[in-house]
Amino acid sequence: MSKQMFVDVHVLQTVPPSCVNRDDTGSPKTAVYGGCTRARVSSQAWKRAMRVVFPEIVGERLVGRRTKRIPELLEEEIAAIDASLPAKKLAREALKLAGVNVKEKDNKTDALFFISKEQLKAVAALAAGGCKDKDAFRQAMKEHPSADIALFGRMVASEPSLNTDAAAQVAHSISTHAVHNEYDYFTAVDDCAPEDNAGAGHLGTVEYNSSTLYRYATVNVTELARHLGGESAAVVRGFAEAFIRSMPTGKQNTFANRTLPDMVYVAVRGDQPINLVGAFEQPVPAGTQGYVQASVRRFVEYARKVYGTFADAPEKAYGVGAFDQLESAAEVMPLSRMLSELESCVEKHVSGEEVM
C-alpha cells in the first residue's frame, strides 16, 4: 500500500416519531448544536446495532464476542482439546498469565472483554499444552483479532498491552434541524375487567421525537489492513452496509421506526477523514416541504465549499439516493452496486494498486 486510505460514510435519514436512544430518565437523547436542541443517537447505540447485523453480512467466522464470560468460553475450548484436563483451573491460570482479571466469586472477568474465536483457540492450546509463559499468552491474545475488534477496538485496563486501536470511528447522529420532544399519553384495557368498569387497566406516557438525522462514520483502511490483510475489503464493505442498514432497537415495538436512508454519500480519501456535520451548524428551517431535500442541498453545498477551501475532493465518491441533487458530487448508483464498487476500490488499495 503506497499511502493512507480513509472511507467516510455520510448518511441522511428520516426517522418518524420514535425513541431510538434514551437517556437515564427515559427521554430521547438530545444535544445542543448550533445554538438549538437536536435529536441525538449515540455512537454506542448505533455501533451496537451494527454489531448485531454484522455476522449476517460478513459471516460468523469474522465476528468476536464481547462478554464477561471469557473463562467459560475458554473452559469449553480446553475441554474440546482434552476432556480429561482440569479446564476451569487451566482457564483461570491462562487468563491470569495473559493479564485478564477474573473474579473468584462468579468466575467472570471484572469488565467486558472482546475476544475473537481464533484468540480463544490459541489461548486454549497454550493452556492445554501446559504453557506458563506470560508473553506467549499475551501474544496469543493480540494476534488474529476478529473484524469487529479491528474495527471498534479493544480496551483492557488491567493489561494495556492487549489494547487494540479502533480502525473505525462512528459519530453521534444528530438532527439537521431543531427538535422538541413530545409525549404520547397511552392507556391499556384489561381484557378481563367487568363490563361495568369503564376505566383503563394501565396508563402512562412515552416521550418521543421525529427527525432527519445526519450520520457519519469513517474507516482507516490502512490501519484495518494491518490487522486483517486481504480480508479488509470485504470487512469495509460489511461495515458500510451495516452502518447504512442498521437501526438501534430502542422502543421499536412501540414506534416501528424501521426506515432506510434517504441519501448515502461515501468518500474515499487519501489525506484525512472529514465529518461534514458543519453543513447543519445552522439548523435547517422548518417548513411545509420537509427537511430531506433542504438537508441534501445543504450537505452538497457544504461539501463543495470544504473541498474548495480546506481539503481536496475525494479520490472516489459514490452516492445512493437523492439522484437529482447528489449527482453533481458523486457517481450515483443503487446500494448493492455502490458496495461492490467500494469493495473493489479497497481491494485495489490493499493489494498496492492505484485507486484512480
Side-chain angles (χ1 to χ4, degrees):
M1 292 178 287
S2 58
K3 62 176 183 177
Q4 297 184 108
M5 173 184 274
F6 301 95
V7 174
D8 289 347
V9 185
H10 309 264
V11 172
L12 286 171
Q13 182 168 355
T14 58
V15 182
S18 56
C19 185
V20 175
N21 185 208
R22 49 190 160 159
D23 63 19
D24 57 334
T25 68
S27 301
K29 288 185 177 179
T30 58
V32 175
Y33 182 65
C36 68
T37 301
R38 314 295 183 100
R40 176 172 68 93
V41 180
S42 71
S43 58
Q44 297 92 328
W46 226 299
K47 282 190 282 189
R48 169 61 183 168
M50 292 170 67
R51 288 190 59 235
V52 169
V53 301
F54 208 51
E56 301 173 15
I57 297 172
V58 301
E60 290 282 352
R61 181 180 64 84
L62 292 175
V63 178
R65 291 183 176 180
R66 189 175 65 173
T67 178
K68 290 184 177 182
R69 301 179 182 274
I70 298 298
E72 294 177 22
L73 298 178
L74 189 54
E75 286 173 36
E76 293 172 5
E77 291 291 341
I78 294 172
I81 295 172
D82 187 344
S84 68
L85 292 172
K88 184 173 183 178
K89 179 184 176 183
L90 290 175
R92 293 176 69 91
E93 289 176 353
L95 291 171
K96 183 178 179 180
L97 289 167
V100 180
N101 293 332
V102 179
K103 294 184 289 185
E104 288 282 348
K105 181 174 67 175
D106 56 8
N107 197 38
K108 296 178 182 177
T109 55
D110 57 2
L112 289 170
F113 191 87
F114 217 163
I115 193 167
S116 72
K117 294 179 177 65
E118 292 297 322
Q119 290 168 348
L120 265 176
K121 289 180 179 179
V123 173
L126 289 173
C131 178
K132 302 296 181 183
D133 185 354
K134 290 182 178 180
D135 291 337
F137 279 104
R138 291 173 185 179
Q139 189 63 29
M141 279 286 196
K142 291 190 288 186
E143 293 180 343
H144 307 296
S146 59
D148 44 0
I149 292 176
L151 283 168
F152 301 120
R154 180 175 69 186
M155 198 280 284
V156 186
S158 61
E159 182 50 58
S161 69
L162 300 181
N163 291 351
T164 300
D165 291 334
Q169 298 171 355
V170 179
H172 287 234
S173 305
I174 63 168
S175 62
T176 64
H177 52 88
V179 299
H180 300 284
N181 288 348
E182 300 178 71
Y183 291 86
D184 174 36
Y185 171 78
F186 66 89
T187 63
V189 176
D190 186 337
D191 291 343
C192 297
E195 293 183 8
D196 60 350
N197 185 348
H202 176 74
L203 56 84
T205 58
V206 176
E207 197 171 355
Y208 68 92
N209 60 38
S210 59
S211 61
T212 295
L213 295 172
Y214 169 71
R215 302 168 47 209
Y216 169 77
T218 185
V219 182
N220 183 334
V221 176
T222 309
E223 175 68 15
L224 186 69
R226 196 169 64 82
H227 294 293
L228 302 181
E231 294 182 317
S232 301
V235 170
V236 172
R237 174 186 176 137
F239 176 87
E241 184 174 357
F243 183 65
I244 291 165
R245 291 188 178 277
S246 61
M247 172 66 72
T249 57
K251 290 287 184 180
Q252 265 189 10
N253 288 349
T254 302
F255 294 104
N257 49 278
R258 294 176 177 272
T259 62
L260 287 171
D262 299 278
M263 182 213 78
V264 174
Y265 174 78
V266 176
V268 177
R269 307 192 59 82
D271 50 1
Q272 67 178 74
I274 299 178
N275 185 328
L276 296 173
V277 70
F280 311 109
E281 192 275 339
Q282 182 179 354
V284 175
T288 59
Q289 302 301 311
Y291 292 111
V292 174
Q293 287 191 354
S295 296
V296 174
R297 184 167 57 251
R298 186 86 71 80
F299 175 83
V300 172
E301 290 172 355
Y302 184 79
R304 190 177 295 118
K305 178 181 177 182
V306 170
Y307 298 157
T309 53
F310 295 102
D312 293 333
E315 296 177 10
K316 291 280 187 180
Y318 309 105
V320 181
F323 295 95
D324 55 338
Q325 295 173 289
L326 196 56
E327 60 185 6
S328 64
E331 185 181 357
V332 182
M333 60 191 73
L335 177 60
S336 58
R337 182 186 157 200
M338 185 278 288
L339 292 170
S340 296
E341 294 275 350
L342 176 62
E343 182 177 10
S344 176
C345 181
V346 173
E347 194 169 12
K348 288 179 181 178
H349 172 76
V350 173
S351 65
E353 296 181 43
E354 288 294 326
V355 172
M356 297 300 288

